[in-house]
Amino acid sequence: MEAEKKNDDFEPGAAQFGNFINYYDFNPPQNRLALFEGKFCEYFSSHQPLLCLDVGCNTGELTKGLYKMLSSGQSDVRMMGVDLDAQLVQRANEAISNELESKLQFQTVNVVAEAEERDQLLTRYLETHDSGRKRFDIAFCFSTTMWVHLNHGDAGLESLLACLATWADNIVVEPQPWKCYRNATRRLRRANRPPFPLFDALIHRSKVLDHIDDVFRNRMDMELQEHLGHSEWQRPVLWYRHKPTANLAI
């Protein structure tokens, strides 16, 4: 309870798209990485190569942490992080060490508003790293659903979820609950910034987590493989995968 109160009171500043320049200073990667210890990495140990996508990667610290974690039991992991903020992506690429240049890359794209560019980028990546592959093994999406929802509405949120389901066999998502939406709108007001223009029109509010689950299960024909736990900020981290018969066209 004390941790939850502390996080509710925390003020990282206002960012309309969630593109905080110091994000990993107040939410270090280890807060999420600890949830993956055990069977998660073992499940993917036989995938060669293991191709991963991180949507909303910010400056890439968590992306690199995920890469190192998965590489501990897997000899060939390739990972791409994408974000809509070109400056954050530049910082992520500049921080890649020489030995990881062929394994990690970061690209700028808005996966909802730039669907054609997104699809071209992801197709090229898959063709380059494993010709004939149609989907990534895993798509990660940490604390990104709310920002898409606030800026692109209910349709934008569903577009993001469909994108993840179309482009990956497994999805690990950390959606923000409704109280985070209220905090984000409050921070904009305190910073004298314009409000999120679609906030009042949102239909999915207090039960937004249930709606995300419904989209994955009933529209995308996926199943919840495992509830991995809650991150330090009490957000659920959920692992979905396609049912064996699922065959979404791209």
Side-chain angles (χ1 to χ4, degrees):
M1 193 70 175
E2 183 65 28
E4 185 174 340
K5 183 178 186 301
K6 176 182 176 182
N7 292 330
D8 283 347
D9 293 341
F10 179 71
E11 291 295 345
Q16 182 178 351
F17 301 101
N19 50 334
F20 300 98
I21 60 172
N22 60 337
Y23 181 76
Y24 292 111
D25 289 344
F26 58 81
N27 197 1
Q30 189 56 38
N31 291 347
R32 278 83 165 246
L33 293 175
L35 299 175
F36 294 93
E37 296 175 355
K39 293 182 179 179
F40 184 83
C41 293
E42 294 176 10
Y43 184 89
F44 297 100
S45 61
S46 63
H47 292 235
Q48 296 283 348
L50 182 65
L51 302 184
C52 304
L53 175 68
D54 186 18
V55 176
C57 64
N58 198 271
T59 52
E61 280 91 336
L62 180 57
T63 315
K64 286 182 283 188
L66 291 165
Y67 169 81
K68 292 177 181 177
M69 175 193 72
L70 291 165
S71 297
S72 63
Q74 159 67 275
S75 60
D76 192 6
V77 178
R78 312 292 175 89
M79 197 156 190
M80 176 167 64
V82 296
D83 199 282
L84 56 71
D85 190 310
Q87 287 186 311
L88 297 179
V89 169
Q90 180 180 352
R91 286 175 56 190
N93 278 314
E94 289 173 349
I96 297 177
S97 58
N98 291 335
E99 64 269 22
L100 294 183
E101 282 186 351
S102 64
K103 303 290 188 177
L104 269 175
Q105 67 172 263
F106 298 94
Q107 299 286 344
T108 304
V109 68
N110 185 324
V111 297
V112 173
E114 300 171 340
E116 183 176 353
E117 294 89 336
R118 172 202 73 202
D119 290 349
Q120 292 173 354
L121 173 66
L122 300 185
T123 297
R124 285 197 305 270
Y125 186 89
L126 292 173
E127 289 178 348
T128 299
H129 292 281
D130 191 2
S131 180
R133 183 82 73 92
K134 297 299 183 182
R135 288 199 285 225
F136 290 82
D137 293 293
I138 316 170
F140 296 96
C141 186
F142 292 95
S143 291
T144 298
T145 56
M146 176 186 73
W147 301 109
V148 170
H149 199 188
L150 285 170
N151 287 285
H152 298 281
D154 294 306
L157 173 62
E158 294 178 4
S159 177
L160 170 66
L161 302 179
C163 166
L164 296 171
T166 298
W167 283 101
D169 292 326
N170 296 268
I171 299 168
V172 175
V173 61
E174 181 197 29
Q176 294 103 317
W178 183 248
K179 67 176 183 179
C180 296
Y181 289 64
R182 297 197 301 266
N183 291 341
T185 58
R186 186 188 70 244
R187 288 195 294 267
L188 282 188
R189 287 197 302 271
R190 288 181 175 178
N192 293 318
R193 300 272 299 279
F196 296 104
L198 300 177
F199 180 79
D200 291 337
L202 296 181
I203 295 173
H204 302 290
R205 292 174 170 256
S206 62
K207 295 185 177 180
V208 64
L209 301 185
D210 292 337
H211 178 62
I212 290 171
D213 183 71
D214 178 67
V215 170
F216 280 139
R217 289 177 186 260
N218 297 318
R219 300 191 197 179
M220 300 296 136
D221 199 28
M222 303 188 78
E223 59 189 7
L224 181 63
Q225 175 74 6
E226 188 173 348
H227 189 309
L228 294 167
H230 287 82
S231 60
E232 188 171 296
W233 287 14
Q234 298 305 305
R235 298 170 186 173
V237 178
L238 308 169
W239 171 14
Y240 291 90
R241 71 180 183 93
H242 282 290
K243 297 176 182 178
T245 55
N247 184 25
L248 297 184
I250 294 177

